[in-house]
């Protein structure tokens, strides 16, 4: 199959985009608590993958690189733009359709998104992306011990917020 | 079900949603547009410089003011760069700076510190995902966001002038620290400067008294060109608060002892290995 003169297949940016897209959007949805923001950040991430493909394709795990870029973009977004962007959306009354009617989903996203950046990234990496301690340490460029400690802190915080209560969904 | 299994299950559910509204064709289109825009921006800058240089050179007796626009690795490396304007608006740098090493970039936006790897391709600064300390505070401008967005570099005023990092409709102007502000004289420096919780009294006699949270230490200071030389400044301080000696824990003393470069611009700026330290002039009683 040809697309734009480039052979698609294993190792092509097209193939990588389509392979990581859903998980990337999911991870960024948890990181930002907003599906629309997540889609925008995922697109920006994949544009960078495309622009840097000659280098990214030589990496052991291009997916890993994409996830790292995405999580860093989410952190940057939190740091600088999210408050303004949300205020604008609130002012315009715009909400994405699937954000409207599920308070349980919203509660989980808000709890994760309100964690400090490192804890948020660790939770997403380990329990959504399914990375083990070593892979998460590599992804977030820190020591495995830091991942373990941060995981413990984040879970404690989520437990205190009621997210891990067995009947959380019923009460949400 | 363990907490971890419960968490994984709930995250899966919370992350779920309708299929993303884009696929690789959208990404390819955006990437091509980005690449074309970067090339266009570079081409426009180069064309403007060529036209400007040619027109200036054609005027008898006038020397071309613009000598270069393309930024090279050597022009970036080895100097400290200070943000002096964002999108054309002059701003106080407030401690922000960038250091380009060979392949590495370090700096701060005045709040968070960051480091990472960088490269320059066709005047586009490409930075791998930066490691950023997680400080939560407001900063002037969008230094970090611009750097992370693969900005186009240009140097409108020639190779010793400021550089601009441009991404879409926003840009940051970076000025070499040694060209930022004005040179300091001993008369300028010979007064008292403050930071929150600390004072630095550069007595005209050459004595330096640093007081941090009520504890003080002394040393000798002098200017060697733009370099501040501080001798005999001990980390052991006299703590009049509790009557005993203590150790100054902060980096301020180390910053002074590292022979920092000093400049004056709405305050005293010291640039050393530890970054940029900004001191305000104490109000005269």
């Amino acid at each position: 199959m040809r697309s734009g003169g480039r052979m698609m297949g294993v190792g092509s940016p097209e193939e990588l985009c389509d392979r990581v897209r859903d998980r990337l959007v999911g991870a960024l949805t948890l990181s930002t608590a907003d599906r629309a923001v997540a889609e925008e950040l995922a697109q920006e991430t994949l544009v960078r993958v495309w622009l840097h493909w000659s280098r990214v394709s030589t990496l052991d795990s291009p997916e890993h690189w994409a996830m790292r870029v995405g999580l860093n973009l989410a952190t940057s977004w939190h740091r600088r733009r999210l408050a303004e962007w949300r205020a604008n959306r609130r002012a315009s009354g715009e909400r994405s359709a699937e954000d409207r009617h599920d308070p349980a989903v919203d509660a989980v996203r808000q709890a994760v998104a309100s964690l400090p950046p490192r804890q948020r990234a660790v939770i997403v990496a380990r329990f959504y992306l399914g990375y083990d301690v070593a892979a998460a340490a590599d992804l977030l460029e820190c020591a495995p011990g830091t991942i373990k400690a941060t995981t413990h802190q984040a879970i404690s915080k989520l437990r205190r917020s009621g997210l891990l209560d067995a009947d959380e969904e019923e009460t949400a | 079900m363990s907490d971890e299994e419960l968490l994984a299950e709930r995250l899966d559910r919370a992350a779920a949603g309708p299929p993303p509204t884009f696929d690789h064709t959208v990404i390819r289109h955006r990437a091509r547009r980005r690449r074309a825009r970067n090339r266009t921006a570079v081409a426009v800058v180069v064309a403007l410089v060529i036209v400007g240089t040619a027109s200036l050179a054609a005027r008898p007796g006038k020397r071309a003011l613009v000598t270069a626009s393309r930024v090279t690795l050597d022009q970036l490396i080895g100097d400290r760069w200070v943000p002096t304007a964002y999108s054309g608006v002059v701003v106080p740098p407030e401690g922000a700076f960038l250091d380009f090493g060979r392949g590495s970039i370090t700096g701060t936006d005045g709040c968070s510190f960051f480091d990472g790897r960088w490269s320059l391709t066709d005047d586009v600064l490409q930075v791998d995902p930066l490691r950023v300390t997680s400080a939560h505070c407001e900063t002037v401008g969008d230094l970090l966001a611009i750097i992370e967005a693969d900005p186009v570099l240009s140097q409108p005023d020639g190779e010793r002038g400021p550089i601009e990092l441009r991404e879409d409709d926003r840009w940051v102007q970076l000025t070499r620290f040694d060209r930022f502000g004005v040179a300091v004289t001993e008369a300028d420096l010979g007064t008292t400067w403050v930071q929150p919780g600390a004072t630095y009294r550069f007595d005209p006699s050459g004595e330096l008294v640093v007081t941090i949270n009520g504890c003080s230490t002394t040393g000798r200071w002098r200017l060697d060109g733009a370099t501040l030389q501080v001798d005999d400044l001990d980390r052991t301080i006299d703590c009049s608060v509790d009557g005993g000696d203590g150790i100054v824990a902060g980096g301020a003393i180390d910053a002074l002892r590292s022979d920092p470069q000093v400049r004056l611009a709405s305050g005293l700026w010291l640039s050393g290995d530890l970054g940029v330290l900004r001191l305000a002039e104490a109000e005269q009683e």
Side-chain angles (χ1 to χ4, degrees):
Chain A
M1 176 191 263
R2 289 187 70 82
S3 174
R6 181 198 297 272
M7 286 295 293
M8 284 179 63
V10 175
S12 72
E14 291 92 340
E15 193 266 347
L16 180 67
C17 282
D18 291 342
R19 194 168 65 225
V20 304
R21 183 191 63 169
D22 290 3
R23 294 298 275 176
L24 183 60
V25 171
L28 294 172
T29 299
L30 293 171
S31 296
T32 63
D34 193 303
R35 189 83 175 176
V37 173
E39 282 214 23
E40 183 55 35
L41 294 182
Q43 288 194 43
E44 175 61 27
T45 301
L46 294 172
V47 166
R48 293 186 185 195
V49 166
W50 208 287
L51 291 173
H52 299 172
W53 182 247
S54 61
R55 189 156 40 101
V56 174
S57 61
T58 65
L59 300 175
D60 290 339
S61 174
E63 293 95 332
H64 207 76
W65 190 88
M67 289 298 174
R68 186 186 298 162
V69 171
L71 292 175
N72 282 347
L73 284 174
T75 300
S76 294
W77 187 273
H78 265 282
R79 194 169 48 237
R80 296 185 181 279
R81 295 184 185 169
L82 191 54
E84 179 188 353
W85 197 83
R86 279 181 168 161
N88 290 340
R89 289 188 70 208
R90 271 198 300 274
S92 67
E94 180 192 347
R95 295 276 288 172
S96 57
E98 56 89 31
D99 277 346
R100 284 179 188 147
H101 300 301
D102 195 339
V105 164
D106 202 40
V108 175
R109 290 181 183 175
Q110 291 295 342
V112 175
S114 63
L115 291 171
R118 175 74 76 182
Q119 292 182 19
R120 185 170 61 234
V122 167
I123 287 295
V124 170
R126 292 215 50 207
F127 301 111
Y128 177 68
L129 297 175
Y131 286 22
D132 60 19
V133 170
D138 186 42
L139 179 75
L140 302 174
E141 297 185 309
C142 59
T146 305
I147 294 293
K148 291 178 187 173
T150 308
T151 301
H152 176 74
Q153 292 161 1
I155 288 181
S156 299
K157 195 166 285 187
L158 292 175
R159 192 181 290 122
R160 284 198 297 277
S161 74
L163 184 66
L164 299 179
D165 293 346
D167 59 349
E168 181 265 342
E169 289 187 2
E170 285 75 17
T171 58
Chain B
M1 186 182 284
S2 71
D3 276 355
E4 297 188 354
E5 290 168 338
L6 187 62
L7 179 57
E9 184 199 37
R10 288 188 172 157
L11 292 182
D12 255 341
R13 202 172 304 168
T21 56
F22 64 92
D23 62 9
H24 68 254
T25 58
V26 173
I27 302 302
R28 181 171 55 219
H29 181 66
R30 286 187 61 171
R32 283 178 176 168
R33 280 178 50 198
R34 178 82 56 89
R35 195 172 280 141
R37 193 186 63 218
N38 289 344
R39 284 178 180 154
T40 302
V42 171
V44 167
V45 169
V46 171
L48 288 174
V49 169
I50 290 171
V51 169
T53 305
S55 62
L56 286 170
R59 294 164 64 184
K62 296 283 185 185
R63 191 173 163 211
L65 298 177
V66 179
T67 56
S69 72
R70 195 178 184 94
V71 182
T72 65
L73 295 177
D74 288 341
Q75 285 167 251
L76 295 173
I77 293 171
D79 284 312
R80 170 152 295 162
W81 296 87
V82 181
T84 45
Y86 286 96
S87 304
V89 179
V90 175
V91 296
E94 301 293 359
F97 69 89
L98 275 181
D99 285 340
F100 291 93
R102 293 214 172 269
S104 66
I105 183 173
T106 57
T108 171
D109 57 6
C111 179
S112 299
F113 284 82
F114 50 83
D115 64 25
R117 309 289 300 171
W118 70 284
S119 59
L120 192 60
T121 306
D122 295 335
D123 287 357
V124 175
L125 177 70
Q126 295 181 330
V127 177
D128 284 349
L130 294 169
R131 297 188 307 172
V132 184
T133 59
S134 303
H136 292 279
C137 44
E138 293 300 318
T139 57
V140 177
D142 264 346
L143 179 62
L144 200 46
I146 293 173
I147 293 170
E148 287 180 325
D150 297 349
V152 174
L153 266 74
S154 63
Q155 205 160 21
D157 297 330
E159 68 178 26
R160 291 299 296 169
I163 60 174
E164 282 183 3
L165 278 62
R166 178 182 291 268
E167 188 264 335
D168 281 342
D169 57 349
R170 58 184 176 166
W171 69 94
V172 56
Q173 179 194 59
L174 301 174
T175 304
R176 281 187 176 83
F177 187 84
D178 67 359
R179 302 215 157 200
F180 161 70
V182 297
V184 177
T185 66
E186 297 203 346
D188 295 323
L189 194 51
T191 183
T192 300
W193 301 86
V194 297
Q195 259 190 321
T199 62
Y200 305 79
R201 183 162 62 82
F202 293 88
D203 193 272
S205 69
E207 183 183 43
L208 169 62
V209 181
V210 181
T211 305
I212 300 178
N213 295 330
C215 309
S216 62
T217 185
T218 61
R220 306 290 301 173
W221 71 274
R222 63 192 164 86
L223 273 179
D224 181 5
T227 304
L228 176 65
Q229 304 272 355
V230 176
D231 302 318
D232 305 327
L233 185 64
D234 203 333
R235 289 176 67 99
T236 305
I237 59 172
D238 172 30
C239 236
S240 57
V241 176
D242 60 13
D245 287 346
I247 302 296
V248 175
I253 298 296
D254 291 328
L256 289 171
R257 285 154 41 123
S258 65
D259 297 341
Q261 298 289 302
V262 290
R263 310 290 292 174
L264 265 182
S266 302
L268 184 69
W269 297 79
L270 293 87
S271 169
D273 295 338
L274 296 175
V276 176
L277 184 67
R278 183 190 180 215
L279 308 178
E281 189 166 10
E283 292 182 8
Q284 299 295 319
E285 294 181 359

